[in-house]
Amino acid sequence: MNKPDLTLEPSADEMRRLARLAMDRIVEHIETLPTQPAADTAGGADLARSLKDALPELGSPFEELLDLLYKKAAPKSFNAAGPGYLAYIPGGGLFLSGLADFMADTLNRYVGVWEASPGLVQLEANVIRWLCDIVGYPAGAGGFLTSGGSLANFSAVVTARRLNLPEDFLKGTLYCSSHTHSSVHRAAMLAGFPATAVREVPVDGRFCMQVDDLERRIVADRKAGLNPFFLVASAGTTNTGAVDDIPALVEIARREKMWLHVDAAYGGFFVLTERGRATLKGIVQADSVTLDPHKGMFLPYGTGCLIVRDATTLKKAHGYGAEYLPAVQSDPDFVDFNQISPELTRAFRGLRLWLPLKLHGFGPFRKNLDEKLDLTVWAADQLRAMPGMEMLAEPQLSIIAFRLNRPGFSTTQLNDLNKKFLAGINRRNRIFLSGTMLGDRFALRICVLSFRTHMERMKEGMDDIRAAAVEAGQV
């Protein structure tokens, strides 16, 4: 018999050496985030081609691999963890969550079945309970962590479909605003519905769902023999941060016996603040809520959540047994995550939220979210004071949409002007903004959501916006 190869089992000294080398790079990366470009993807295609690699038979020195990652591959990217990242919806990347992932991965315990690791499953169940408490859900609520809002929205659609529609469910119809996140459409598609089953309701001047139009569509669909069953309220759209009239949608859903789902992936955690609770009033009455801790709780990407008012609905929709699995426990105090979610094998995601919350408490998260609301109000005031600047979406949470406007310019000319304006801002590399289309108008967006973004960087960003506006006006 050949002597065993122990390459995959490094000694204690070697593990410490590798961890020290990696930690040195990690700390250097985090310390230099404020001076790194807000985004740098020039030459990305050439870089990607240069990194194509054949299956390696022999290993490479760890230091070389760290150089490749930190000096070559990672820098050419959107710097989503940096203070100047104000595009799309920022994901914070808490250090403690990264440390928690390292510990969870090296523990390598299975948490899909309660019996396999009761203690760790309970820690994750605690996290779910905390999220339910944030929203205000009652004791019978529950949920699970996912890779993100897309999977959470998918499970919400599946749960409502399984509970509210017959096996032949193709007469079911779903309703959302025309600014609802695209993942809702994808969720309906993956749940087996044709694209025509999703009703996009127009929005008003604040980009919120037009409730009267929604009611007319529901009535028309019932008369046509269809079965309205699923209604989505947006609690912070990606385009403009718009929050639908949740109390009105709660009333409609109850009257029409529809499942009300709130997509609060971006905006949900603002309920930790006084202003956010007022804006998101009524969310506690929803049947289900999508939250993304990798947004409003500043965690690394890959942390979403679905919570429901009645935890039994998830088991009815997802529960399925197999002879090779341990017996499902029946104690209502405990949970088998594989019975309430799509995944059987799953990562121990709970530690990445449990650790920072236990170490810091919710207080610092609440203060950071309040600061982001303050910074957004300040930025909106600054933009309104700039000559020729048009506010297209006033902040409802922490997103602003705006553009340069010039008398006599056609829509096409204004769109071209604002694309140049956006490029001029981003070229300075202190902040990174994204654009979107609001109807036929190209808009620039500011989204303030990183725990590393503070007033100093916002002032630098406003300086760059003013300078880029002057440049764009001279073209």
Side-chain angles (χ1 to χ4, degrees):
M1 181 179 293
N2 293 331
K3 183 179 179 181
D5 186 329
L6 302 180
T7 304
L8 303 180
E9 299 181 62
S11 67
D13 286 343
E14 179 64 2
M15 284 191 284
R16 291 188 182 95
R17 185 186 77 86
L18 295 174
R20 281 195 296 269
L21 288 171
M23 188 57 68
D24 286 345
R25 301 298 182 103
I26 292 167
V27 172
E28 180 185 10
H29 167 70
I30 292 175
E31 285 187 327
T32 59
L33 279 172
T35 59
Q36 293 177 25
D40 179 11
T41 57
D46 290 339
L47 170 65
R49 292 189 183 95
S50 74
L51 292 175
K52 289 185 176 181
D53 201 359
L55 177 67
E57 177 65 28
L58 302 175
S60 302
F62 189 51
E63 292 86 342
E64 287 184 13
L65 302 179
L66 289 173
D67 281 345
L68 187 151
L69 177 63
Y70 282 93
K71 293 183 177 181
K72 193 171 184 180
K76 288 292 180 183
S77 60
F78 296 168
N79 190 1
Y85 191 82
L86 306 175
Y88 306 106
I89 308 290
L94 280 175
F95 170 76
L96 270 178
S97 293
L99 192 60
D101 279 355
F102 175 62
M103 291 188 285
D105 290 346
T106 51
L107 280 170
N108 196 34
R109 295 295 192 266
Y110 176 59
V111 294
V113 175
W114 179 86
E115 185 178 324
S117 188
L120 298 184
V121 170
Q122 186 58 52
L123 295 186
E124 189 159 324
N126 291 348
V127 167
I128 296 298
R129 184 59 252 174
W130 298 339
L131 298 182
C132 290
D133 289 342
I134 288 173
V135 169
Y137 269 174
F144 57 91
L145 296 177
T146 74
S147 59
S150 293
L151 187 57
N153 286 339
F154 169 67
S155 274
V157 172
V158 169
T159 300
R161 189 200 75 193
R162 293 290 298 273
L163 268 66
N164 293 352
L165 294 178
E167 286 192 15
D168 181 7
F169 56 78
L170 292 181
K171 288 187 177 180
T173 49
L174 308 86
Y175 304 80
C176 61
S177 88
S178 57
H179 278 232
T180 299
H181 195 272
S182 62
S183 63
V184 171
H185 292 267
R186 184 181 297 176
M189 176 185 71
L190 293 176
F193 293 95
T196 53
V198 181
R199 307 289 192 256
E200 278 198 358
V201 181
V203 296
D204 59 20
R206 299 178 69 241
F207 302 100
C208 303
M209 184 189 294
Q210 293 186 18
V211 176
D212 292 345
D213 192 284
L214 166 68
E215 293 183 294
R216 286 193 292 271
R217 289 168 185 257
I218 293 172
V219 169
D221 284 339
R222 288 207 187 279
K223 287 183 178 178
L226 299 175
N227 193 350
F229 82 101
F230 191 78
L231 174 58
V232 180
S234 293
T237 60
T238 300
N239 267 348
T240 63
V243 179
D244 291 332
D245 186 344
I246 299 175
L249 298 185
V250 168
E251 183 179 336
I252 292 170
R254 295 293 177 266
R255 183 178 71 235
E256 299 291 339
K257 295 181 171 55
M258 298 169 66
W259 183 283
L260 177 64
H261 175 66
V262 176
D263 184 356
Y266 151 61
F269 285 106
F270 283 104
V271 296
L272 285 169
T273 71
E274 184 177 345
R275 285 172 287 181
R277 281 194 300 276
T279 302
L280 301 175
K281 181 181 179 182
I283 192 172
V284 67
Q285 300 300 322
D287 294 294
S288 56
V289 178
T290 286
L291 299 167
D292 268 357
H294 64 218
K295 295 185 174 79
M297 293 297 288
F298 321 125
L299 266 63
Y301 289 121
T303 320
C305 181
L306 177 68
I307 55 174
V308 297
R309 278 183 61 85
D310 180 357
T312 64
T313 59
L314 291 177
K315 190 169 184 179
K316 290 175 183 176
H318 295 85
Y320 199 85
E323 294 157 345
Y324 49 79
L325 291 174
V328 175
Q329 51 75 38
S330 57
D331 192 321
D333 286 340
F334 305 129
V335 61
D336 289 290
F337 283 118
N338 79 94
Q339 292 296 302
I340 65 169
S341 69
E343 296 174 291
L344 178 57
T345 302
R346 61 192 301 280
F348 177 32
R349 298 187 182 99
L351 198 64
R352 59 167 56 183
L353 188 50
W354 181 87
L355 184 63
L357 287 178
K358 287 294 288 185
L359 187 65
H360 299 308
F362 272 106
F365 293 90
R366 179 181 293 107
K367 291 175 182 177
N368 268 274
L369 289 169
D370 256 326
E371 181 194 20
K372 306 320 156 197
L373 294 174
D374 289 340
L375 292 175
T376 306
V377 170
W378 176 86
D381 290 341
Q382 295 292 307
L383 289 169
R384 284 191 217 94
M386 294 183 193
M389 202 69 71
E390 180 184 7
M391 296 291 288
L392 298 179
E394 294 283 350
Q396 297 180 43
L397 292 170
S398 69
I399 293 177
I400 310 166
F402 63 100
R403 70 171 180 173
L404 281 174
N405 201 344
R406 294 290 183 267
F409 275 37
S410 67
T411 299
T412 299
Q413 288 174 317
L414 282 176
N415 289 346
D416 290 342
L417 172 69
N418 279 280
K419 289 173 184 178
K420 292 174 183 175
F421 178 35
L422 176 62
I425 296 167
N426 290 341
R427 187 174 60 247
R428 288 164 165 80
N429 260 329
R430 292 197 292 184
I431 61 170
F432 182 57
L433 307 185
S434 55
T436 190
M437 294 299 298
L438 299 178
D440 60 356
R441 300 172 297 177
F442 181 81
L444 286 72
R445 293 173 64 262
I446 291 176
C447 180
V448 190
L449 200 63
S450 172
F451 67 101
R452 295 187 174 105
T453 301
H454 306 294
M455 181 59 82
E456 180 183 2
R457 184 56 58 106
M458 294 297 292
K459 288 181 176 178
E460 293 174 352
M462 284 299 150
D463 288 344
D464 289 350
I465 289 172
R466 290 187 188 93
V470 172
E471 283 183 3
Q474 293 173 349
V475 175

